[in-house]
Amino acid sequence: CSAIIIYEFIRYVQLIDIVKSNFKIYQKILKLFQYKIVSDFSKEKLILNYSKTLLLFSIKIIVILISILVFVLMHAIPGGPFDPVDMPLSDSAKAKILKQYGLDQPLYVQYFKHMWGVLQLDFGIPYQSPGETVLELIGRAWIPSLILGGSGVLIGAPIGIALGLIAAIKRNSFIDYFTSAISTLGLTVPVFVISMLLILVFSVWLEWLPASGWGEAKKWILPITAYAAIPMATYARYTRSAILDTLNK
């Protein structure tokens, strides 16, 4: 979603230059959008108003389309919270639960109810934690997520910059090849795969660190290491490229 919005913003910037080059076409477009052209308005102000309108309209359409796509895909994939394998229930119990959550209604009715709840900041009740709402779950979990994610960036970025600097200075050396390999792996391997590998090595095989938990500081090491992989790889790669470009000038 973020990538699409950034793409639309680039289109919005390009649109300003295109419209400036042909103001007559722009006046016709404004009439189609029921804009009243006032003589004392400047050309730049009209262009900016139209561009803002087009950008906001594009974002709304994109958000609606993405919400429909995600909603349909979530119902199309196999399995679910009441899967007969993971949670065997009788037909009557399952029908009662489906009715309780509104999952017995047609898909379009579920979607509109879901979006109406989203507009009211009511995201429903999580299936795995029915004693709280989704907002309460987010409020309880965002602080650990912020600490782990922020720590991963604060640790991974300096390490990545240092590796990229050393790799650029000692080009075609072991540290250069090692940094390139680490950068490639960090950018291509998903975080959840890195997490599983860290758990497998340091928790299962070596038994040095716990695989889960939150209370003790040693329980933070593995998740922070996993979160630090992407910023470390990104900063190492771009730092090396930037320094090599500078040295080659």
Side-chain angles (χ1 to χ4, degrees), residues 24-26 34 55 66 72 80 135 169-171 190 196 227 243 245:
K24 292 182 179 180
I25 297 177
Y26 170 68
Q34 298 179 353
L55 177 64
I66 290 177
V72 172
L135 283 180
I169 295 175
K170 297 185 177 182
R171 189 175 181 182
M196 290 189 293
Y227 277 119
I243 294 177
D245 291 338

Side-chain angles (χ1 to χ4, degrees), residues 103-135:
L103 299 177
D104 59 336
Q105 299 176 347
L107 191 60
Y108 68 91
V109 176
Q110 297 182 40
Y111 173 76
F112 284 116
K113 284 188 174 182
H114 169 70
M115 293 305 297
W116 178 249
V118 169
L119 294 176
Q120 297 177 325
L121 296 180
D122 179 13
F123 298 96
I125 299 174
Y127 300 129
Q128 296 181 348
S129 181
E132 59 183 350
T133 63
V134 172
L135 283 180

Side-chain angles (χ1 to χ4, degrees), residues 13-233:
V13 175
Q14 294 174 344
L15 176 69
I16 295 178
D17 296 332
I18 295 173
V19 174
K20 282 183 178 179
S21 63
N22 199 334
F23 187 59
K24 292 182 179 180
I25 297 177
Y26 170 68
Q27 287 179 326
K28 295 180 181 180
I29 296 175
L30 287 179
K31 291 180 181 180
L32 291 176
F33 278 84
Q34 298 179 353
Y35 268 79
K36 184 178 180 181
I37 302 178
V38 183
S39 57
D40 58 347
F41 274 18
S42 64
K43 184 188 301 184
E44 289 77 10
K45 190 171 183 179
L46 291 173
I47 293 173
L48 185 61
N49 289 336
Y50 169 71
S51 302
K52 287 181 178 179
T53 303
L54 183 61
L55 177 64
L56 293 175
F57 178 77
S58 301
I59 292 176
K60 292 177 183 178
I61 295 298
I62 290 170
V63 170
I64 292 174
L65 291 177
I66 290 177
S67 66
I68 294 175
L69 179 63
V70 172
F71 193 84
V72 172
L73 288 177
M74 288 299 296
H75 284 74
I77 59 177
F82 313 116
D83 190 78
V85 178
D86 298 332
M87 185 180 292
L89 296 172
S90 62
D91 293 338
S92 59
K94 185 175 181 179
K96 183 178 180 180
I97 295 177
L98 291 178
K99 185 177 181 180
Q100 177 183 354
Y101 287 102
L103 299 177
D104 59 336
Q105 299 176 347
L107 191 60
Y108 68 91
V109 176
Q110 297 182 40
Y111 173 76
F112 284 116
K113 284 188 174 182
H114 169 70
M115 293 305 297
W116 178 249
V118 169
L119 294 176
Q120 297 177 325
L121 296 180
D122 179 13
F123 298 96
I125 299 174
Y127 300 129
Q128 296 181 348
S129 181
E132 59 183 350
T133 63
V134 172
L135 283 180
E136 291 173 348
L137 177 62
I138 294 175
R140 176 172 56 85
W142 77 272
I143 294 180
S145 300
L146 180 63
I147 293 175
L148 295 177
S151 301
V153 174
L154 292 176
I155 294 175
I159 295 176
I161 293 174
L163 288 175
L165 178 61
I166 298 172
I169 295 175
K170 297 185 177 182
R171 189 175 181 182
N172 297 328
S173 62
F174 171 77
I175 188 65
D176 185 18
Y177 297 141
F178 175 77
T179 302
S180 300
I182 292 297
S183 300
T184 303
L185 290 175
L187 292 173
T188 55
V189 179
V191 176
F192 69 89
V193 175
I194 298 175
S195 302
M196 290 189 293
L197 291 175
L198 291 174
I199 292 174
L200 182 63
V201 174
F202 294 100
S203 297
V204 178
W205 291 348
L206 299 178
E207 298 182 356
W208 287 355
L209 298 170
S212 62
W214 175 247
E216 301 176 351
K218 65 179 181 179
K219 297 179 180 179
W220 301 6
I221 297 177
L222 292 184
I224 290 177
T225 303
Y227 277 119
I230 293 179
M232 181 184 67

